[in-house]
Amino acid sequence: MTPSNRLEALRQWTTVVADTGDIDEIARLKPTEATTNPSLILKAARTARGEAILAAARCANESPRLRIDRVVTDFGKAILEHIPGRVSTEVDARLSFDTRATVEKARRLIALYEAGDISRERVLIKIAATWEGCEAARVLEQEGIHCNMTLIFSLAQAKAAAQAGATLISPFVGRIYDWAKKEAGDAWNEAENAGVKDPGVQSVTAIYRTLKAAGSKTQIMGASFRNLGEITALAGCDLLTIAPKFIDALRRDEAPLERVLSSDTLTPTAPVAITESEFRWETTMSAMANEKLAQGIRAFAADTETLEKLLV
């Protein structure tokens, strides 16, 4: 049966994930999966359903830092009522450089889910793709706690996450586009940097081809989109996490959509491998990856602290 719109066409090859913490929006959109982060949870906390979740968490005899765990998992539980697949729940970004603390926090989040009769198979624990975060994922995956490595801006990060056995990685598109556009200034040419030529799209494409050619089982989920062209240029990626406004736009668009990414024609290579020193050097030498990773961690940490204040 011929797809009636671009959203249906995309779903032939790619799992569509809702990039929002808004429970009502997820119920309306009916995506396969959903992903959250501190910024999305903070925004969703200001909705009527979000306020109810915060009110319940305030009743817990715990510190605000621990109450946040209840908030993010309660959002996740509510979201899971409306999707058949998995929800991603993020570890406190302030733990991004502490492997042991990240592991302990992930175990607590999973325990809260399981206390609510949610199987760990339906949850992805989101962790910033620092070296320490990837090492935490290595431990957690061995315990059957599946990880979504986020804030990925480089091939080095993708390799480290895949090497650790992470279930899924989230390479960002829009934030790379933002950085490149800002760097170019007046010299930026939108037409020359659109679609498959978008610097963020090219980054995800390189990651996809490298990991697939190496036979990695790690799933790749493009994230952080600025326009529809970025999404359609990654048709065929394992998953794409898409904001509601773009999901709606794809549903309204009846133009044909062709698959762009496929592993069928790739030449097999050796498994991915990267040492800690190589990871740190490559990250340091990429001004974009270094800057955007740090910026992302700072932003998520700030939103987590704001959320804490709402739980006092």
Side-chain angles (χ1 to χ4, degrees):
M1 184 175 178
T2 303
S4 63
N5 57 59
R6 285 194 151 190
L7 182 62
E8 286 186 8
L10 181 63
R11 281 177 163 155
Q12 295 177 109
W13 322 293
T14 296
T15 298
V16 173
V17 181
D19 195 12
T20 180
D22 190 317
I23 301 163
D24 293 329
E25 277 289 83
I26 290 168
R28 178 181 69 84
L29 293 167
K30 296 179 174 58
T32 304
E33 300 191 353
T35 182
T36 65
N37 62 42
S39 302
L40 294 175
I41 292 293
L42 180 59
K43 182 178 179 180
R46 297 188 172 103
T47 66
R49 296 189 70 172
E51 285 287 353
I53 288 174
L54 261 62
R58 291 189 192 104
C59 296
N61 187 25
E62 296 173 322
S63 68
R65 182 167 290 205
L66 292 179
R67 288 174 183 171
I68 285 179
D69 299 340
R70 295 190 181 276
V71 168
V72 297
T73 54
D74 283 350
F75 265 101
K77 292 172 190 175
I79 287 169
L80 286 169
E81 294 177 5
H82 303 285
I83 60 174
R86 305 165 296 187
V87 67
S88 290
T89 297
E90 193 143 349
V91 164
D92 190 331
R94 293 169 293 185
L95 306 179
S96 295
F97 300 99
D98 189 329
T99 297
R100 176 178 291 183
T102 296
V103 169
E104 291 174 353
K105 180 65 74 174
R107 288 170 178 161
R108 172 172 162 81
L109 294 175
I110 287 296
L112 288 171
Y113 272 112
E114 292 183 333
D117 294 324
I118 302 295
S119 166
R120 63 180 58 189
E121 295 301 318
R122 298 199 67 198
V123 180
L124 290 169
I125 298 298
K126 287 181 77 174
I127 302 170
T130 59
W131 182 263
E132 294 81 1
C134 292
E135 288 303 294
R138 185 191 302 278
V139 173
L140 293 166
E141 290 284 355
Q142 290 173 355
E143 298 178 6
I145 297 175
H146 302 302
C147 300
N148 171 356
M149 305 308 295
T150 189
L151 292 175
I152 287 184
F153 301 98
S154 70
L155 184 56
Q157 290 175 284
K159 286 182 177 180
Q163 178 176 263
T167 295
L168 184 147
I169 61 172
S170 295
F172 281 34
V173 178
R175 298 192 193 189
I176 294 176
Y177 165 91
D178 294 341
W179 189 90
K181 185 174 182 178
K182 181 180 178 181
E183 280 294 297
D186 293 339
W188 179 261
N189 185 311
E190 187 67 31
E192 292 179 358
N193 291 280
V196 295
K197 296 178 288 185
D198 182 297
V201 170
Q202 291 183 335
S203 177
V204 177
T205 299
I207 288 170
Y208 177 92
R209 290 175 175 167
T210 299
L211 266 58
K212 295 301 181 185
S216 173
K217 296 186 184 303
T218 296
Q219 298 172 314
I220 301 159
M221 180 170 73
S224 170
F225 295 108
R226 297 294 180 263
N227 55 66
L228 286 174
E230 292 176 335
I231 297 169
T232 57
L234 291 173
C237 196
D238 296 327
L239 307 93
L240 295 176
T241 181
I242 307 172
K245 66 178 181 179
F246 290 137
I247 293 178
D248 287 333
L250 287 167
R251 183 178 282 117
R252 291 192 299 266
D253 192 340
E254 298 178 359
L257 179 65
E258 295 184 1
R259 183 170 189 171
V260 180
L261 297 183
S262 173
S263 60
D264 294 344
T265 60
L266 298 177
T267 302
T269 63
V272 293
I274 189 168
T275 65
E276 180 179 355
S277 60
E278 289 170 340
F279 174 91
R280 296 195 186 282
W281 177 253
E282 290 180 32
T283 303
T284 297
M285 293 305 291
S286 171
M288 179 274 296
N290 202 24
E291 178 181 325
K292 299 308 291 185
L293 174 60
Q295 185 183 72
I297 290 172
R298 288 196 302 269
F300 285 162
D303 286 339
T304 299
E305 289 170 358
T306 300
L307 193 57
E308 277 183 357
K309 294 174 183 177
L310 299 177
L311 294 170
V312 176

